[in-house]
Amino acid sequence: MDPVQILWAPAGASMPNLGARALVDVTDGDTPNLRMPVRMLSVDTPEVTARSAERAAAIDQDFKQLASWMDEGRAPIGDALAEHLKPRLETGHAGTLHLAQGQAASEFGKANIAARLTRENGTRRNLFVRTADTPFDSNHRLLAYLAPDYSAAERRTMTREQRSTFNLDLVRAGWAAPFVIHPSIPGAADLALLIGAAVEARAARRGIWESAETLLAYEYRSMERLFQITRSLVAGRELTGGPRAWRERYCADMRTRELFGPEDYFRVEPEYRLWLRPDDLRGAIRDLNLVPSASLTLPPG
């Protein structure tokens, strides 16, 4: 072998370990078909990461303690957001409620997908998969919209609502909050369907919207991080990511294009929140003509 002068360090990423069933089949020599996880775009269902009633009960107490630390001014969170979240944290059952909602959302998702992929004659449809601008998330899951793969003839007889994605079904049933993240924004018609379904589900108090004590999934995850950070601060331990590492995304109101900081997202109703990562912020301000709110200080860069 002769030495080469072309040297490169590829910016790759290892995909999640999918276990023994990762390889489904091989179409030809260079086209294996893999089984892989998909993160459904533009929706966020409650988490089931607690996994057990015992762990959920422990989170109940963690969040209740976090509410107390907020009252004492020991948690690194602004007063306005703390007041917004505390009523749900201090109930003593925030984790238990979230796990129950996550399990219900999972059951709905499984049953809905199974039903909609089954034809009237009992045969099974293929799956339609559409990705967006960013194909993978930070956990290397495929980001996509999923739906039954209807034929062209079937689509001609169906409305958009009838051939909805499974993503939209979750929102319509109230088991997911909209979670639109720039730049993976649905097209205008699909975005209108998503927002309309969310408005209707919240007004009808379906699914997660039934309880006023619901922590939305992205709030739940951020409160888990905030609890860990605050516990370290209270114990006097050194932090690796800084006291504000529990929140990072900015939020814009899709109705007014007003841009808010990470702790002011609650000023926008859930259906109209557009989330932006810090690295995408300046480009999004330019491309979407966003108007920073009066209190917003943009990060340097």
Side-chain angles (χ1 to χ4, degrees):
M1 174 180 172
D2 295 330
V4 298
Q5 297 298 315
I6 302 298
L7 304 175
W8 190 254
S14 298
M15 301 301 291
N17 186 340
L18 303 178
R21 300 201 320 169
L23 180 64
V24 177
D25 56 38
V26 178
T27 302
D28 59 31
D30 61 1
T31 312
N33 298 307
L34 303 178
R35 178 175 176 265
M36 65 182 302
V38 176
R39 174 64 167 89
M40 295 170 72
L41 279 165
S42 299
V43 300
D44 203 13
T45 61
E47 300 290 344
V48 293
T49 48
R51 301 195 182 281
S52 69
E54 292 76 18
R55 177 58 191 146
I59 294 171
D60 292 340
Q61 297 310 307
D62 289 349
F63 283 1
K64 194 171 182 180
Q65 176 64 72
L66 179 57
S68 295
W69 283 331
M70 289 179 180
D71 277 332
E72 297 165 6
R74 307 180 80 177
I77 183 173
D79 292 341
L81 181 55
E83 290 303 312
H84 173 72
L85 293 168
K86 273 192 308 182
R88 286 167 281 169
L89 297 173
E90 60 195 6
T91 61
H93 56 250
T96 298
L97 174 63
H98 199 83
L99 177 60
Q101 291 175 334
Q103 291 169 333
S106 179
E107 289 304 311
F108 170 82
K110 292 173 185 176
N112 182 57
I113 289 173
R116 291 196 60 208
L117 287 181
T118 303
R119 296 186 179 92
E120 290 183 2
N121 63 6
T123 61
R124 191 171 178 82
R125 296 182 184 278
N126 290 329
L127 187 67
F128 171 83
V129 181
R130 182 174 179 83
T131 60
D133 296 57
T134 304
F136 295 99
D137 70 2
S138 58
N139 294 315
H140 312 305
R141 297 172 296 184
L142 180 67
L143 296 170
Y145 297 97
L146 305 177
D149 189 16
Y150 297 109
S151 67
E154 287 176 313
R155 291 196 300 272
R156 284 194 292 270
T157 68
M158 302 172 72
T159 65
R160 261 184 192 274
E161 289 83 355
Q162 290 172 326
R163 51 187 173 88
S164 62
T165 63
F166 300 137
N167 313 48
L168 180 61
D169 290 344
L170 284 164
V171 172
R172 184 183 289 140
W175 289 119
F179 195 43
V180 181
I181 304 176
H182 175 273
S184 299
I185 303 173
D190 291 321
L191 182 60
L193 280 178
L194 182 74
I195 293 173
V199 168
E200 183 185 354
R202 190 157 73 102
R205 301 177 67 86
R206 297 191 199 115
I208 59 174
W209 307 113
E210 180 181 3
S211 174
E213 296 173 348
T214 289
L215 279 170
L216 299 181
Y218 47 78
E219 294 176 320
Y220 176 87
R221 293 189 296 269
S222 67
M223 290 303 96
E224 284 190 308
R225 293 192 295 270
L226 180 58
F227 173 79
Q228 297 296 334
I229 287 171
T230 306
R231 183 169 63 177
S232 294
L233 289 171
V234 169
R237 294 194 292 269
E238 185 176 348
L239 298 177
T240 56
R244 299 283 173 173
W246 60 272
R247 87 294 186 273
E248 60 173 8
R249 290 188 184 93
Y250 289 71
C251 182
D253 189 326
M254 287 190 273
R255 297 164 296 184
T256 64
R257 301 196 311 276
E258 187 173 7
L259 177 65
F260 295 90
E263 293 193 35
D264 282 335
Y265 71 86
F266 69 95
R267 303 187 189 280
V268 183
E269 290 178 280
E271 309 91 86
Y272 302 103
R273 293 170 185 167
L274 171 64
W275 299 92
L276 305 104
R277 301 178 185 88
D279 289 347
D280 297 326
L281 190 58
R282 293 187 180 277
I285 291 174
R286 179 194 63 239
D287 296 342
L288 302 176
N289 197 23
L290 302 180
V291 181
S293 62
S295 61
L296 178 61
T297 300
L298 294 176

